[in-house]
Amino acid sequence: MRKRIVITSLAVVAAVALGLWAASSYMLGYSLGPDPNRRDTDSTYALLYKWLPGMRQWTDSLRRGGLLRDTFVAMPGGERHHALYLRADSACGRTAIVVHGYKDCSAKFLFLARMYHRDMGFNVLLPDLHAHGLSDGGDVGMGWNDRRDLVHWAAVAERLFRSEGHESRIVLHGVSMGAATVMCASGEDLPPYIRCFVEDCGYTSVWDEFACQLKGQFGLPPFPLMYTTSALCGLRHGWRFGEASPLRQVAKCRRPMLFIHGDRDTFVPTWMVYRLYEAKAGAKRLWIAPGSAHAQAYTDHPAEYTRVVREFCFK
């Protein structure tokens, strides 16, 4: 009888462990698997023009003039990554690196390139992050390992847009996961030409964001699935959800940062921006976009968004 109980208990434990492993594998693939259509840039442009019709004329004029260009570079790890870029004759060394969001790509965020280039006179570079757009990679990094790629892109931009007689001054501007990438980079040992940061609706940590989505999309608490999926991420990709913390990185940042968030954001809840802002020491500014949901601050308030960013960058 005792032997039967032990065998039954072991079978139950094994079944639970196997079930958790399967569920964790599914959740990891669901969360970090790249968009299978990520290289379909024609669809991305079509969506951009439908969302912001005025972008078609601006983008077409740049392409006719040969101003909007593609570049591919080799990352330190050997991957081939892609970016769009455009030069401004009046930039005087000023460059904006615009970082897209989760499972998006560089072309989707050309509206921010237009803001920096047309309205502020900046050079602009828009990278496709690892496993996004035309860049190599098999798993979404949620901004953590991407922080190193972003620093590499800044070095590329500094060489690409170097202006004789002017110091290079680069702003890193990201939206959603791109904002998390910018914040994660902000806590690193950075070259002096990276002057400031703009984060728009970024999350405090991958753990916090995934826990919110696990509850919102699946109605599940963090335990046990968050713990097992995070451990599996560590085994497969070399980082865990709690480790990927823009909040901790921002606390180490000593360069100016602008925080932007919509007050109706439920995808990356608005409460996160207050924690991030409080953690940041030194020069900082906070703008809460009234009535805006996730990543909608610019489209809801383009003039105010541009004014706030311009004042911050030129201060």
Side-chain angles (χ1 to χ4, degrees):
M1 178 64 72
R2 182 176 296 176
K3 184 177 180 181
R4 185 180 299 172
I5 292 173
V6 169
I7 292 173
T8 301
S9 300
L10 289 174
V12 170
V13 169
V16 169
L18 185 61
L20 274 175
W21 180 267
S24 299
S25 295
Y26 170 80
M27 293 303 297
L28 195 63
Y30 177 83
S31 302
L32 304 186
D35 182 350
N37 300 314
R38 62 191 175 99
R39 297 183 183 275
D40 183 4
T41 54
D42 289 341
S43 294
T44 300
Y45 279 103
L47 287 171
L48 176 66
Y49 300 152
K50 182 177 180 181
W51 179 37
L52 294 169
M55 286 298 302
R56 180 185 292 274
Q57 182 179 358
W58 181 78
T59 305
D60 287 348
S61 68
L62 289 177
R63 291 201 179 279
R64 284 195 300 270
L67 297 176
L68 183 60
R69 301 181 180 182
D70 296 89
T71 187
F72 288 87
V73 301
M75 286 290 145
E79 290 184 345
R80 187 170 180 257
H81 283 200
H82 167 263
L84 294 170
Y85 72 95
L86 57 158
R87 187 184 304 275
D89 292 336
S90 60
C92 300
R94 296 187 181 93
T95 298
I97 299 180
V98 176
V99 190
H100 63 76
Y102 178 71
K103 298 190 181 182
D104 278 323
C105 68
S106 54
K108 179 75 175 295
F109 285 79
L110 278 167
F111 65 93
L112 288 179
R114 182 179 65 174
M115 178 191 75
Y116 275 106
H117 187 264
R118 183 192 67 183
D119 302 333
M120 297 170 60
F122 278 50
N123 305 308
V124 186
L125 185 138
L126 305 98
D128 284 333
L129 296 179
H130 171 89
H132 290 78
L134 301 180
S135 291
D136 291 345
D139 56 279
V140 175
M142 298 304 296
W144 184 236
N145 291 337
D146 303 297
R147 75 194 190 280
R148 301 190 184 100
D149 293 338
L150 184 55
V151 175
H152 185 76
W153 274 118
V156 171
E158 197 278 330
R159 294 191 300 270
L160 182 66
F161 298 123
R162 189 173 294 160
S163 178
E164 187 174 348
H166 298 283
E167 285 186 288
S168 295
R169 290 168 289 179
I170 295 177
V171 53
L172 305 183
H173 185 142
V175 179
S176 192
M177 190 188 79
T181 305
V182 165
M183 288 188 285
C184 286
S186 76
E188 299 297 302
D189 184 15
L190 299 174
Y193 50 76
I194 297 178
R195 297 297 183 89
C196 60
F197 312 90
V198 180
E199 79 84 17
D200 180 345
C201 63
Y203 38 81
T204 48
S205 71
V206 173
W207 181 279
D208 290 343
E209 178 59 18
F210 280 180
C212 286
Q213 296 308 312
L214 187 64
K215 181 178 180 180
Q217 294 187 41
F218 300 96
L220 295 174
F223 185 83
L225 196 54
M226 280 284 295
Y227 294 84
T228 53
T229 307
S230 177
L232 184 60
C233 186
L235 289 172
R236 290 186 179 176
H237 305 306
W239 60 275
R240 294 181 178 234
F241 298 163
E243 175 188 5
S245 174
L247 184 68
R248 283 200 296 268
Q249 292 292 95
V250 161
K252 297 187 287 183
C253 175
R254 293 299 179 267
R255 302 182 195 186
M257 185 173 293
L258 170 61
F259 298 83
I260 297 172
H261 220 101
D263 67 1
R264 294 189 180 179
D265 193 340
T266 56
F267 189 78
V268 176
T270 307
W271 62 261
M272 290 190 182
V273 75
Y274 295 109
R275 288 190 60 195
L276 290 163
Y277 183 76
E278 290 170 4
K280 170 71 174 72
K284 58 185 176 180
R285 180 174 178 181
L286 173 64
W287 178 54
I288 301 298
S292 293
H294 185 65
Q296 296 297 308
Y298 178 84
T299 51
D300 291 344
H301 312 279
E304 181 71 1
Y305 193 108
T306 303
R307 182 188 66 79
V308 169
V309 172
R310 181 191 289 113
E311 288 178 356
F312 173 76
C313 289
F314 284 97
K315 187 174 181 179

